[in-house]
Amino acid sequence: MICVTSLCAIRVSAALLQLRNLLQLLQLSSHHPFTQPIGLVPLLSGMSAILETSLGDIVIDLLVDESPKACENFLKLCKIKYYNFSPVHTVQKGFTLQTGDPLGPGAPESDGGSSIWGVLGGPSKRTFPIELPPKLKHTERGTVSMATAASNDPDQRLAASQFLITLGDNLDHLDGKAAIFGKVVEGFDVLEKINEAFVDDRQRPLKDIRIRHTVVLDDPFEDPVGLVEPPESPVPSKAQLATVRIADDEELDDNMDEEAMDNLRREREARAQALTLEMVGDLPFADVKPPENILFVCKLNPVTQDEDLNLIFSRFGTILSCEVIRDKRTGDSLQYAFIEFENQKDCEQAYFKMQGVLIDDHRIHVDFSQSVSKLSDSWRNATVTKRRQRGGFGGVDDLEQKRQYRATDDAPSYEDDESYNMVFDKSRKNKDQPSRSSGPSRRNDRDRSPRRREHSRDRYRRRSHSRSPRRDSRRDRDRYRDDRRRDDRHDRRR
């Protein structure tokens, strides 16, 4: 019921919008008899879509007969809410605005946008060939056209999801490069706001301008196989949220100029990067500031040593450390150094006096250090020390990691043994076992008792009786032969 009610409300609002424009055209025609006939006004065709942006609504009337392929692609992408949260990533004042990429071309995960057939069929169908209507020109402000790119065929252009809206008149430069498929009929005040937005050197708005929602008033095309219309607007993805610079719903000072807005954007980007470095462990905390008593010196001569810089800069005050950074493998100078002063005022004086000074035929550059590596190391070492004092793994004795060996104080000491006191040590096991030739063992002492002797004799008797019969018969036969041989020898002697 909710969906049907909202759809009816949208259709009623669209009908009222068309009726109001019709009345305006009737008034125009009464004052100007040479006005274009009402039957040729594109607004009354009924094929329209609404873009709800962060600056207002834009109503686009689609030219279905002139550009059917582009209109079908645009309507289906609006239907699956593909354009939701898409940024207006390029604004050229008096020329065009460009949008349609859900992430924007500056995002690392952006593919430039995809057509409806690429969304449903895979990356191989991301673009589609589009025809440029020869009779349609970019003569009016508010002309909507698909952004195209050249293909292997010089007579064919490819399009995906990005589209342009003109912000000026008579832009014949776009003819033959962008495929016109619609015209803006409502929301020219929104186009004016976008045209006046502050942009950076890449023509990207400093404050985000985004498409929040899309509404399709009438769709004459059949849905392709696999298209599923979501019941509600989807939530922005993490990749889309990562592209936010200054949120579109954030209220700023009306008197803020372009420079102040750019500074605000830079501060927020630096804060986001600092939070990322804190999460990966490169910074102890995001708001860490570099020390103000350390100078960064660069453009040094490779032959300049630590002692040379220490001698030169020591005239400004006490130096705590002076280090020329070198390659770890070769030991060669990387031609920059860090000098730490005891007092901040001495550091500032050296900064003003030593800028551009010649040292070993090289004109050096001096600046305040922005490195927090030493602070991070100090913080990390202090944290590890506190954990060790508390004991255990993670600061708790019960969470100590399981080890295969450990050195304990109560373990017996062995001379000439420098190995770890392992849980299972073969060398120590062999040492613990006494040799047989070293004397009677504990087991032999036990065997000397009378009971042990009797028990061993009985066991020997049982073993002698348990011999095999075949072995006994063979032994008796040998004895019989020996006896006969002895008798024969005795008879011969007689």
Side-chain angles (χ1 to χ4, degrees):
M1 289 297 295
I2 297 177
C3 297
V4 174
T5 305
S6 60
L7 182 60
C8 293
I10 292 173
R11 292 186 180 277
V12 169
S13 61
L16 292 175
L17 179 64
Q18 292 183 356
L19 182 59
R20 186 182 65 180
N21 292 331
L22 177 60
L23 293 176
Q24 293 177 356
L25 290 172
L26 287 173
Q27 292 177 0
L28 279 172
S29 62
S30 62
H31 294 287
H32 303 281
F34 297 102
T35 307
Q36 183 181 7
I38 297 176
L40 299 179
V41 178
L43 175 64
L44 301 181
S45 63
M47 309 302 175
S48 303
I50 300 177
L51 301 180
E52 298 179 4
T53 70
S54 56
L55 297 180
D57 296 346
I58 300 176
V59 181
I60 300 175
D61 186 39
L62 302 178
L63 307 177
V64 178
D65 297 333
E66 290 81 356
S67 300
K69 198 73 172 178
C71 292
E72 180 183 4
N73 179 59
F74 180 77
L75 285 174
K76 300 306 178 183
L77 290 176
C78 290
K79 198 170 185 178
I80 65 173
K81 312 303 179 188
Y82 183 81
Y83 290 125
N84 282 25
F85 209 72
S86 296
V88 178
H89 56 77
T90 304
V91 176
Q92 302 181 51
K93 294 185 178 181
F95 190 63
T96 61
L97 69 88
Q98 186 170 347
T99 183
D101 185 354
L103 299 179
E109 301 179 7
S110 174
D111 59 353
S114 176
S115 66
I116 184 62
W117 299 281
V119 173
L120 301 178
S124 60
K125 300 180 180 180
R126 189 179 69 86
T127 60
F128 66 97
I130 191 171
E131 296 181 0
L132 304 179
K135 296 182 180 181
L136 300 179
K137 305 293 182 181
H138 296 82
T139 57
E140 299 178 358
R141 185 178 66 152
T143 303
V144 186
S145 56
M146 275 283 174
T148 63
S151 64
N152 297 329
D153 187 357
D155 298 332
Q156 190 178 66
R157 307 284 294 183
L158 299 177
S161 64
Q162 296 193 40
F163 59 93
L164 311 169
I165 300 179
T166 59
L167 301 176
D169 298 328
N170 300 321
L171 303 178
D172 53 356
H173 175 71
L174 297 174
D175 295 339
K177 297 180 180 179
I180 300 175
F181 68 94
K183 294 182 180 295
V184 174
V185 294
E186 188 72 17
F188 287 96
D189 56 336
V190 180
L191 296 183
E192 188 63 28
K193 293 179 183 178
I194 297 176
N195 190 41
E196 297 298 329
F198 295 133
V199 296
D200 58 12
D201 54 353
R202 294 178 298 175
Q203 285 80 42
R204 180 177 177 181
L206 296 176
K207 182 179 180 181
D208 288 349
I209 304 173
R210 295 185 180 271
I211 300 175
R212 294 181 176 177
H213 192 64
T214 56
V215 180
V216 177
L217 300 180
D218 193 7
D219 183 9
F221 303 100
E222 295 184 0
D223 293 340
V225 179
L227 187 144
V228 178
E229 184 177 1
E232 58 185 7
S233 295
V235 180
S237 63
K238 292 183 179 180
Q240 288 179 319
L241 293 175
T243 61
V244 175
R245 308 176 85 182
I246 300 178
D248 54 0
D249 56 352
E250 184 174 352
E251 295 183 1
L252 302 176
D253 188 5
D254 296 335
N255 298 325
M256 182 177 291
D257 56 0
E258 185 174 357
E259 183 179 358
M261 189 173 293
D262 188 38
N263 292 334
L264 179 61
R265 177 188 63 82
R266 291 177 181 273
E267 291 178 1
R268 299 203 172 177
E269 288 183 355
R271 193 180 309 165
Q273 294 173 358
L275 288 173
T276 303
L277 293 176
E278 180 184 1
M279 293 171 61
V280 300
D282 287 351
L283 290 180
F285 46 90
D287 296 332
V288 64
K289 294 182 179 180
E292 298 179 351
N293 62 330
I294 299 179
L295 279 184
F296 170 74
V297 183
C298 62
K299 297 183 179 180
L300 294 173
N301 193 312
V303 300
T304 304
Q305 303 295 324
D306 301 349
E307 296 80 5
D308 303 335
L309 291 179
N310 195 349
L311 179 62
I312 295 173
F313 281 86
S314 61
R315 66 189 184 93
F316 298 101
T318 306
I319 294 178
L320 298 180
S321 64
C322 179
E323 180 182 4
V324 176
I325 307 303
R326 302 182 179 277
D327 187 89
K328 293 183 179 180
R329 293 186 299 175
T330 62
D332 298 335
S333 173
L334 298 179
Q335 300 181 353
Y336 67 93
F338 293 94
I339 304 175
E340 182 179 3
F341 287 86
E342 185 178 7
N343 299 322
Q344 180 182 349
K345 293 183 179 180
D346 299 338
C347 182
E348 293 176 355
Q349 187 179 3
Y351 168 75
F352 290 113
K353 297 290 184 179
M354 296 301 294
Q355 176 63 34
V357 174
L358 280 173
I359 297 179
D360 294 333
D361 296 334
H362 276 233
R363 196 171 298 277
I364 65 172
H365 174 73
V366 181
D367 200 353
F368 290 100
S369 174
Q370 301 297 316
S371 173
V372 294
S373 175
K374 185 173 293 186
L375 293 178
S376 299
D377 294 340
S378 301
W379 171 83
R380 193 174 292 109
N381 294 335
T383 304
V384 172
T385 303
K386 290 180 181 179
R387 288 180 177 176
R388 288 178 178 175
Q389 290 176 355
R390 292 171 58 188
F393 176 75
V396 182
D397 290 331
D398 296 338
L399 296 180
E400 187 173 2
Q401 277 187 324
K402 186 178 180 180
R403 294 179 291 180
Q404 186 179 359
Y405 55 85
R406 62 186 66 180
T408 56
D409 296 336
D410 56 350
S413 60
Y414 295 89
E415 296 182 357
D416 301 333
D417 187 3
E418 297 179 356
S419 62
Y420 287 101
N421 186 16
M422 302 183 68
V423 175
F424 180 78
D425 195 345
K426 293 183 179 180
S427 61
R428 184 160 296 148
K429 183 179 178 182
N430 295 333
K431 291 181 180 180
D432 292 342
Q433 292 180 357
S435 61
R436 295 181 180 179
S437 61
S438 61
S441 63
R442 189 176 180 183
R443 182 176 179 182
N444 295 336
D445 294 340
R446 290 180 181 177
D447 291 342
R448 290 181 180 180
S449 61
R451 290 185 178 180
R452 286 280 180 181
R453 292 175 182 176
E454 294 293 335
H455 180 69
S456 60
R457 289 175 182 174
D458 295 340
R459 186 172 58 182
Y460 176 74
R461 289 172 183 172
R462 287 195 300 267
R463 287 180 58 188
S464 61
H465 287 296
S466 62
R467 292 174 180 174
S468 60
R470 181 181 301 177
R471 191 173 181 182
D472 294 342
S473 61
R474 189 176 299 172
R475 184 173 296 177
D476 294 340
R477 189 183 308 163
D478 295 338
R479 287 179 181 177
Y480 177 74
R481 290 178 179 176
D482 293 340
D483 293 341
R484 289 196 62 180
R485 288 177 181 175
R486 289 175 184 174
D487 295 341
D488 293 342
R489 290 176 183 175
H490 185 68
D491 294 341
R492 289 177 182 175
R493 288 177 182 176
R494 286 180 178 180

